[in-house]
Amino acid sequence: MVEPITTAISQIYPDRVLVRGYNLVDMAGGYTFGDVVYLLMTGELPRGPEGRMIEAMLVICAEHSINAPSTQVARTVASCGVPMQCAIAAGINAIGEYHGGAGEACAKMLQVALRHPESDPESLAARIVAEFRQAGQRIPGFGHRFHNPDPRAERLLALADTWNISGPHVTLARAIEAELEKAAQRPLPLNVDGAQAAILSDMGIDWRYAKAVFIIGRTAGLAAHVHEEWTSGSPLKFAGKREIKYVGPPERRVPAIGQS
């Protein structure tokens, strides 16, 4: 007998769809998409404003203009004449360590650090900053090449404070922010990835979901860019010509077969 595939996420019947035991149809109209995302990620419906917090994150993540790497990739692929899902998937595949991945790395750092907090947040922050600087590594979730400070991070942190969601992970993140400024002698504030990482962690969401929240939100923006590329430009417009400098070997004679 074949062993059944097990899942704790959902179950379907002819008259209902259960998600973590709750009827999905009954939730429609009464619960938000953020509530359902929280349910899927934690196994329980929010008891407070956690769903609203996730909704705010999805709004913040939806768009960051045409220069975002995932947007450029999606538009370039869309200009090749592929279907919507292929262009969006290409954009999502561009989300990695250097674009959209800092939240996951920051959430892991914060959650691991607070598993066994042996000291106050300031001392813990000082140790984290010292370790990263000694290794010559940038601390994920702090500083931004365009925003200083990042208005998206400020808004999310303000909402987390207002809704009493901020906890030890946000406290540690802010302590790291202060310690970084002292060490670097310039402001390196939390960016949107770091803010989301700390807030998601304080909501009890595993660090492995941090990138997923970014992806869920950014998908809506990618869809809009793909549609705009289809309807406002000529094929391959976004994949424009660039001057190429060749650095390989000069032209060589092709040897006859059998000659070295």
Side-chain angles (χ1 to χ4, degrees):
M1 182 178 178
V2 179
E3 288 289 327
I5 298 173
T6 62
T7 178
I9 299 172
S10 63
Q11 188 174 14
I12 61 171
Y13 298 93
D15 62 339
R16 63 197 185 281
V17 177
L18 302 183
V19 175
R20 303 290 193 187
Y22 295 99
N23 192 321
L24 187 66
V25 176
D26 290 345
M27 285 190 285
Y31 287 87
T32 69
F33 185 54
D35 292 332
V36 176
V37 171
Y38 182 85
L39 170 65
L40 286 164
M41 291 182 175
T42 68
E44 295 294 339
L45 284 169
R47 296 183 178 180
E50 294 88 354
R52 294 175 67 191
M53 191 75 247
I54 290 179
E55 287 279 342
M57 291 180 181
L58 298 180
V59 170
I60 289 292
C61 290
E63 185 55 38
H64 201 233
S65 192
I66 206 167
N67 285 324
S70 54
T71 304
Q72 290 188 19
V73 170
R75 292 190 73 130
T76 301
V77 172
S79 71
C80 297
V82 304
M84 173 71 79
Q85 72 273 16
C86 296
I88 290 177
I92 289 172
N93 283 335
I95 296 170
E97 181 180 354
Y98 305 117
H99 169 53
E104 181 181 281
C106 184
K108 181 180 181 181
M109 175 188 70
L110 296 173
Q111 291 181 21
V112 170
L114 286 175
R115 283 177 186 166
H116 305 288
E118 72 283 358
S119 57
D120 58 273
E122 290 73 22
S123 300
L124 190 54
R127 180 175 64 79
I128 291 171
V129 171
E131 289 176 354
F132 272 86
R133 287 177 66 83
Q134 185 176 4
Q137 297 175 345
R138 178 178 177 178
I139 300 181
F142 295 83
H144 196 276
R145 63 187 179 92
F146 187 78
H147 301 295
N148 187 22
D150 191 333
R152 302 166 297 175
E154 291 187 318
R155 176 60 173 166
L156 291 177
L157 290 166
L159 289 174
D161 288 344
T162 299
W163 292 336
N164 295 317
I165 289 174
S166 299
H169 297 89
V170 168
T171 299
L172 176 58
R174 284 176 165 149
I176 293 172
E177 182 181 65
E179 188 66 28
L180 263 177
E181 183 170 356
K182 287 193 297 184
Q185 296 187 334
R186 63 187 177 93
L188 286 170
L190 276 160
N191 59 34
V192 66
D193 297 313
Q196 289 191 172
I199 296 167
L200 288 169
S201 298
D202 278 336
M203 291 196 293
I205 293 176
D206 187 271
W207 61 266
R208 296 170 185 84
Y209 278 124
K211 191 182 293 181
V213 172
F214 177 81
I215 291 170
I216 294 167
R218 184 53 57 90
T219 297
L222 294 180
H225 279 283
V226 169
H227 183 267
E228 184 176 72
E229 188 66 26
W230 285 344
T231 57
S232 65
S234 57
L236 303 179
K237 170 179 67 68
F238 203 74
K241 293 181 180 179
R242 296 190 63 179
E243 184 177 343
I244 306 297
K245 181 180 179 181
Y246 177 70
V247 295
E251 182 177 357
R252 294 180 284 184
R253 182 179 64 85
V254 178
I257 296 176
Q259 295 181 355
S260 59

